[in-house]
Amino acid sequence: MRRSPLLWAASLAVYAFLYVPLVVVVVFSFNDSKLNAEWVGFTLDWYHKLFANAEMLHAAANSLLIAVVASALATVLGTMAGIAMHRFKSRLLPFMTLTPVAMPEILLGVSLLIFFISVFGEESLSLLTVIIAHTTFCIGFVAIIVRSRLAGMDESIFEAARDLGATPWQTFRLVTLPLIMPGVVAGALMAFTLSIDDFVITFFTAGAGVPTLPLQIYTMIKIAVTPEVNAVSTLLMLLTLTMIVLAGKIAPDVLRGKG
Amino acid sequence: MALLEIKNVSRRFGDFTAVDDVSFTVESGEFFTLLGPSGCGKTTLLRMIAGFDLPDSGAIVLDGVDLRDTPAEQRPIHTVFQSYALFPHMTVAQNIAFPLRMAGKADDEVRTRVREAVAQVKLDKLEQRYPHELSGGQKQRVALARGLVNRPRLLLLDEPLGALDAKLREQMQIELIRLQRGVGVTFVFVTHSQAEALALSHRIAVMNHGVIEQMDEPDKLYGFPKNRFVADFIGNVNMHEATVAATGGTLTLELGTLGRIAAPSREGVKAGTGGVFVIRPEQVSIRAAAEASPDPNQFEGVVNDFLYIGDVTTYIVDLPDGKRFEALLPNSAPGRAKFFEVGDHVRLSWKAEAGAFLDA
Ligand SMILES: Nc1ncnc2c1ncn2[C@@H]1O[C@H](COP(=O)(O)OP(=O)(O)OP(=O)(O)O)[C@@H](O)[C@H]1O
Ligand SMILES: [Mg+2]
């Protein structure tokens, strides 16, 4: 393919639009000034401050715990849902699984809040309710990825496994699971990132006692956008990047976007 | 006792009957073929034998045991799928080892048996490759080795050569026969290629619309087709509407305006019965019209066209009543590829014991 200069310029502009704000955040997290205005000098002060900030650390711990547990649950349930959607060609099943994906977050947040309060009472809002809420909206994402992975597969492979003596469980463990693993990993990753930066649903279901990282950042910037916020955002970015690289290692074809 | 008994098996999808009251038996060590056109129910029948599907009525019996309540993984029956269905995430060796592992064989035995199987299908040096690194013919061999390695009582093969090119297919046919004789495993083979069926099988069941039209050894099937469908499906055949004019030691048939011929007698036919007379092109002699023929059945005609196949030439001849017959001449004389030109007047003839009278 010939590369025209115009195409080059256009793609450069798009990438700039995407990445310049991120670069700005990273750069100013190392800036020796309280203002996000001009470069003064390099410092790690904001990171020191961040790690001395007990509230922030507590929020980060909460976020990590929620993301790990919710993405693990969503991965297991979502994989099962994806397989079920593939196996039983019902119309209702995808509809029910995918609705939380398409639903406006605010609606999901409000309805989960009402559900938790009316069924378990006001004081039930806790880490547990956040985890349940996050699991709920992540299942659909995992299920879609797993199902699309299965959709391209020759059905007779699974019959062949049974035919050659594998029980249904052995077929799942030795054939189905390894084949959908890239999808499962991608789904888990997606669930983790969705969970760790979720604000709206967490806001409704967390109650007072469970600050998460996004909630904490929100509280902080209500006062002022300090370089500390830049620092925590940079770390969050680093975490996400690591996960993507990791996923690329475990399941190379996820990043290449091939089935 | 027969190894496999199919007893009055039927399978319906909605109000469509894919397999209709089919019965047959397969003997131990036999190479048995299900032959029929696309959609006649071959795969449906095979899937019921393998255990992926259950008959609506009838029974499938292996070694005297009804398989109805035996799930696929517990049947000593393996399948070679048309799409090969190799496990893409396993190497050749792992694919072949799979049935042995499922059967709980010890590591040592697995290694030995895999090595044997690999040698048997000539895949040495390819053990560590993945399926996507193999050619179609090599994948085929892996599928065969995987199906045979745990020595099933029965191996089902669903058009296993369908995806191969002509040359490779011929080569694999020879190897299939060699393998089957070598390992002594009973084969139930599915194909819609009559040439493949004739070349490979001990016995062939010809299926059409979910029923078995005829079941016989290849030469009987070819030489003595029971009805019009079988005659037409197996090999090439000339057909002509006929009415029985007289019975006796030989039949006398009235071929419309063409005239009378003598044909082999058949039990239970009465004078006046209508049907078809069929005869294979290689049973029809062709010579110049001026030459005389000793055969009782002869007609003059005009060469309409000919097909040079290489080893033989097929002449298509217009008969006086407008019907076309084919006659076959071997090109064994050196330098001779053509005996007649289009438009030549020729004489077609055949013996009284050639051909057959079949129901319409
Ligand atoms: N699950 C099913 N539901 C409905 N109809 C089916 C189903 N499976 C097969 N059929 C129908 O049953 C008939 C026989 O199908 P089958 O696959 O057995 O044919 P086949 O003889 O194997 O043909 P081919 O040579 O093309 O593979 C076909 O008309 C097919 O459409
Ligand atoms: Mg078929």
Side-chain angles (χ1 to χ4, degrees), chain A residues 62-84:
Chain A
N62 277 341
S63 275
L64 276 177
L65 181 66
I66 292 165
V68 167
V69 177
S71 62
L73 285 174
T75 303
V76 173
L77 295 173
T79 301
M80 291 182 347
I83 293 173

Side-chain angles (χ1 to χ4, degrees), chain A:
Chain A
M1 197 180 74
R2 259 197 47 198
R3 295 179 173 83
S4 80
L6 206 67
L7 197 64
W8 264 105
S11 19
L12 217 64
V14 170
Y15 279 110
F17 185 73
L18 284 173
Y19 286 104
V20 167
L22 296 179
V23 173
V24 168
V25 167
V26 174
V27 168
F28 279 107
S29 76
F30 296 107
N31 191 13
D32 196 2
S33 157
K34 257 212 173 296
L35 300 170
N36 287 324
E38 58 178 340
W39 180 256
V40 176
F42 181 84
T43 180
L44 286 176
D45 271 3
W46 304 117
Y47 288 90
H48 287 137
K49 275 215 171 114
L50 193 65
F51 283 104
N53 184 338
E55 272 180 16
M56 194 61 102
L57 289 181
H58 180 56
N62 277 341
S63 275
L64 276 177
L65 181 66
I66 292 165
V68 167
V69 177
S71 62
L73 285 174
T75 303
V76 173
L77 295 173
T79 301
M80 291 182 347
I83 293 173
M85 283 195 295
H86 176 74
R87 182 98 25 102
F88 312 107
K89 314 273 179 211
S90 111
R91 276 165 202 274
L92 195 62
L93 209 56
F95 186 75
M96 280 170 38
T97 319
L98 302 186
T99 303
V101 173
M103 186 101 72
E105 274 194 71
I106 184 121
L107 253 175
L108 204 58
V110 171
S111 48
L112 280 165
L113 173 69
I114 294 171
F115 171 77
F116 289 136
I117 289 184
S118 57
V119 176
F120 302 111
E122 189 101 38
E123 58 290 348
S124 73
L125 297 181
S126 63
L127 214 58
L128 188 66
T129 50
V130 181
I131 289 173
I132 295 173
H134 282 203
T135 307
T136 311
F137 79 82
C138 287
I139 287 177
F141 286 96
V142 179
I144 296 174
I145 298 175
V146 167
R147 184 178 63 162
S148 70
R149 174 103 197 145
L150 275 168
M153 248 174 249
D154 177 7
E155 211 49 39
S156 59
I157 288 174
F158 309 112
E159 281 184 351
R162 296 289 301 277
D163 185 67
L164 296 167
T167 61
W169 170 245
Q170 284 172 319
T171 302
F172 175 74
R173 196 164 52 84
L174 300 172
V175 179
T176 315
L177 195 57
L179 288 179
I180 60 172
M181 194 42 99
V184 174
V185 172
L189 198 82
M190 187 142 182
F192 187 90
T193 30
L194 284 171
S195 165
I196 205 146
D197 76 353
D198 178 76
F199 178 80
V200 178
I201 292 171
T202 317
F203 183 77
F204 283 103
T205 52
V210 195
T212 65
L213 222 40
L215 294 185
Q216 188 64 28
I217 293 171
Y218 175 70
T219 315
M220 282 170 73
I221 59 171
K222 270 199 293 194
I223 303 158
V225 183
T226 64
E228 226 178 315
V229 174
N230 290 338
V232 72
S233 306
T234 303
L235 289 178
L236 210 55
M237 229 183 283
L238 196 68
L239 179 68
T240 314
L241 263 173
T242 316
M243 305 239 327
I244 291 173
V245 171
L246 215 67
K249 282 237 152 60
I250 300 170
D253 54 348
V254 168
L255 289 185
R256 270 185 265 131
K258 123 184 155 191

Side-chain angles (χ1 to χ4, degrees), chain B residues 263-324:
Chain B
S265 176
R266 209 184 91 192
E267 264 176 53
V269 268
K270 291 190 283 289
T273 316
V276 285
F277 172 73
V278 297
I279 184 164
R280 303 275 178 205
E282 69 270 21
Q283 294 178 306
V284 179
S285 307
I286 179 169
R287 48 168 59 78
E291 285 179 41
S293 161
D295 295 335
N297 305 315
Q298 41 185 295
F299 300 100
E300 282 183 31
V302 179
V303 175
N304 174 283
D305 209 347
F306 56 85
L307 297 167
Y308 174 67
I309 318 274
D311 47 352
V312 295
T313 301
T314 303
Y315 293 92
I316 298 158
V317 176
D318 283 334
L319 294 175
D321 67 345
K323 286 268 165 26
R324 277 184 189 157

Side-chain angles (χ1 to χ4, degrees), chain B residues 240-243 254-260 321:
Chain B
H240 202 293
E241 272 71 50
T243 317
E254 185 86 51
L255 297 193
T257 59
L258 212 51
R260 295 195 164 189
D321 67 345

Side-chain angles (χ1 to χ4, degrees), chain B residues 157-172:
Chain B
L157 304 102
D158 193 355
E159 308 211 20
L161 310 182
L164 306 181
D165 64 57
K167 189 81 197 159
L168 195 55
R169 189 179 315 180
E170 202 167 299
Q171 193 184 327
M172 281 305 294

